[in-house]
């Protein structure tokens, strides 16, 4: 069993790239299931129903998200009814949508969980407590449980990996848009990587025009509407391989593709 995951798909530039390349990448890695983070897929902020449909129809099975999930109001029109759209489970209960779901992939039951970190991010419920609670709820109805931990701090993500090692099957980070090189299988069989990176422009600053961002850092004040970066493109992700009998992770491979 192979599960392909992708980091934050950023705006139209990232979307078009994934739409064009996904079938080849799926074939290359013989992927059975695809999860991608889409929290920035609509113009770099949030997601719309149209974008959700576009990503789903190109072959992404489940779309996870993060702190930008509410940025485009159109999300309220579909998040409740679409069980392939996941938002961080540690948002408070009045928020619509779901933080985890269980899917059938042939005979295999795959749980997908999304959590947000709280270090340098919104003060949500403690993600470690919520991970514990969800695990107890779904452990008997899942063969594989994947966690997209959308977090800023590498330390918080590594700590989460160790915390759920041997319970969750695969844990990967999103949000920073920069891939880390620490893909591994942890001591108790959980596949892990701190951040899988992003899908979109290589030439900007995490997807945004570089001149705009440099100006912003130098000015330390609002500098107007941001522009999206263009230029060379990248697809960042990882492929998690699981034993077909024990469902333990046997390998985590990074995907880092550059396109002119
Ligand atoms: Fe984010």
């Amino acid at each position: 069993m192979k599960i392909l995951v992708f980091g934050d798909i950023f705006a139209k530039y990232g979307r078009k790239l994934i739409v064009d390349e996904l079938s080849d990448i799926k074939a290359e890695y013989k992927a059975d299931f695809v999860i991608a983070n889409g929290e920035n897929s609509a113009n770099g902020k949030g997601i719309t129903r149209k974008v959700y449909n576009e990503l789903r129809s190109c072959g992404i099975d489940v779309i996870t998200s993060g702190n930008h999930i509410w940025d485009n109001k159109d999300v309220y029109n579909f998040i409740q009814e679409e069980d392939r759209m996941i938002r961080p489970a540690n948002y408070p209960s009045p928020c619509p949508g779901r933080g985890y779901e269980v899917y059938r992939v042939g005979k295999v039951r795959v749980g997908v969980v999304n959590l947000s970190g709280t270090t340098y991010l919104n003060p949500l419920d403690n993600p470690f407590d919520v991970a514990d609670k969800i695990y107890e709820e779904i452990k008997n109805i899942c063969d594989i449980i994947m966690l997209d931990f959308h977090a800023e701090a590498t330390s918080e993500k590594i700590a989460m990996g160790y915390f759920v090692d041997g319970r969750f099957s695969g844990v990967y980070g999103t949000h920073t848009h920069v891939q880390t090189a620490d893909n591994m299988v942890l001591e108790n069989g959980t596949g892990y990587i701190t951040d899988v990176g992003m899908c979109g422009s290589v030439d900007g600053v995490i997807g945004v025009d570089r001149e705009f961002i440099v100006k912003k850092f130098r000015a330390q004040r609002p500098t107007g509407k941001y522009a999206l970066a263009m230029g060379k493109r990248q697809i960042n992700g990882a492929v998690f391989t699981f034993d077909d009998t024990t469902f333990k992770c046997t390998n985590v491979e990074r995907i880092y593709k550059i396109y002119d």
Side-chain angles (χ1 to χ4, degrees):
M1 174 73 154
K2 285 177 186 281
I3 296 182
L4 200 51
V5 303
F6 293 107
D8 309 39
I9 298 170
F10 199 85
K12 192 176 181 181
Y13 213 51
R15 258 173 24 235
K16 184 168 181 343
L17 184 60
I18 276 284
V19 167
D20 289 348
E21 302 296 333
L22 184 55
S23 63
D24 283 355
I25 297 175
K26 273 173 91 168
E28 181 182 346
Y29 291 97
K30 299 183 172 58
D32 300 292
F33 196 67
V34 181
I35 309 167
N37 191 295
E39 72 146 6
N40 301 307
S41 54
N43 206 29
K45 283 187 174 177
I47 184 167
T48 62
R49 185 194 288 271
K50 192 167 164 240
V51 166
Y52 169 82
N53 289 339
E54 184 187 7
L55 294 176
R56 286 276 295 115
S57 48
C58 82
I60 296 170
D61 295 294
V62 178
I63 296 163
T64 52
S65 60
N67 55 304
H68 288 296
I69 183 62
W70 315 115
D71 286 1
N72 191 307
K73 300 291 174 277
D74 193 43
V75 76
Y76 296 112
N77 297 323
F78 70 96
I79 194 167
Q80 194 62 40
E81 70 201 52
E82 295 290 351
D83 71 355
R84 302 274 172 154
M85 179 77 237
I86 307 283
R87 49 89 172 151
N90 49 334
Y91 269 102
S93 54
C95 290
R98 69 212 78 217
Y100 60 96
E101 191 57 80
V102 182
Y103 308 98
R104 280 262 172 198
V105 185
K107 289 183 178 166
V108 183
R109 302 163 302 175
V110 178
V112 178
V113 182
N114 193 187
L115 286 167
S116 171
T118 52
T119 305
Y120 310 125
L121 275 174
N122 300 329
L124 306 178
D125 290 347
N126 186 295
F128 293 80
D129 291 345
V130 178
D132 247 352
K133 196 164 156 255
I134 293 171
Y135 177 72
E136 289 305 319
E137 257 177 70
I138 66 174
K139 67 180 180 185
N140 294 324
I141 54 167
C142 290
D143 301 303
I144 290 172
I145 304 175
M146 297 296 292
L147 169 60
D148 173 350
F149 191 30
H150 194 82
E152 180 74 47
T154 48
S155 56
E156 192 176 15
K157 293 193 248 199
I158 294 168
M160 179 63 81
Y162 287 127
F163 181 64
V164 301
D165 182 20
R167 300 189 291 161
F168 283 56
S169 320
V171 177
Y172 61 98
T174 55
H175 176 70
T176 70
H177 296 198
V178 179
Q179 189 177 87
T180 57
D182 59 344
N183 47 308
M184 63 184 134
V185 178
L186 301 176
E187 290 156 16
N188 297 309
T190 295
Y192 177 81
I193 178 169
T194 296
D195 205 299
V196 286
M198 69 168 281
C199 302
S201 170
V202 183
D203 291 344
V205 178
I206 65 170
V208 179
D209 178 74
R210 63 173 83 163
E211 284 176 21
F212 172 85
I213 295 292
V214 170
K215 193 170 143 197
K216 188 168 175 240
F217 275 112
R218 292 196 68 208
Q220 292 298 332
R221 60 179 168 76
T223 46
K225 195 176 178 317
Y226 71 90
L228 299 173
M230 309 292 276
K232 283 207 300 280
R233 301 159 298 159
Q234 61 185 334
I235 287 183
N236 296 173
V239 58
F240 288 72
T241 304
F242 298 96
D243 183 279
D244 288 329
T245 310
T246 64
F247 298 112
K248 289 277 186 195
C249 187
T250 56
N251 189 48
V252 182
E253 183 179 348
R254 278 181 285 134
I255 297 171
Y256 192 88
K257 291 178 180 288
I258 303 290
Y259 302 84
D260 284 329

